[in-house]
Amino acid sequence: PVVHPWYVLWALAPAMLRGVWPWLVFASLCPLSYLALAEYDVRGWQEVWWIPWIEHPALWLSLLVWWARSTPPSPG
């Protein structure tokens, strides 16, 4: 499946209002997918191999940090 940068725009404003900054991280990294167009030729293009290695860990790490900060400490 392909996630074009404009697909995440619908969630950007509510995320900013609610302070869910992992969406901001994800939305700001999605335009990296356009780097594939730099390699475009008549036969098509190849996805840049390192982009998922930046986008996915950054998203999961930001989600983990956000979840850890928003989870109240357990009593006891």
Side-chain angles (χ1 to χ4, degrees), residues 26-50:
F26 184 57
S28 53
L29 289 175
C30 274
L32 286 176
S33 63
Y34 285 120
L35 289 176
L37 296 176
E39 302 294 322
Y40 181 77
D41 65 3
V42 219
R43 295 170 284 160
W45 64 75
Q46 290 284 4
E47 183 178 356
V48 182
W49 67 270
W50 54 267

Side-chain angles (χ1 to χ4, degrees), residues 1-75:
V2 176
V3 176
H4 296 287
W6 58 86
Y7 290 173
V8 297
L9 289 179
W10 65 269
L12 201 52
M16 288 174 23
L17 291 173
R18 302 266 323 195
V20 185
W21 55 270
W23 271 105
L24 300 174
V25 170
F26 184 57
S28 53
L29 289 175
C30 274
L32 286 176
S33 63
Y34 285 120
L35 289 176
L37 296 176
E39 302 294 322
Y40 181 77
D41 65 3
V42 219
R43 295 170 284 160
W45 64 75
Q46 290 284 4
E47 183 178 356
V48 182
W49 67 270
W50 54 267
I51 291 176
W53 289 96
I54 291 178
E55 286 179 339
H56 296 206
L59 173 63
W60 287 108
L61 181 63
S62 64
L63 282 169
L64 182 66
V65 170
W66 179 76
W67 175 79
R69 287 184 172 183
S70 64
T71 304
S74 60

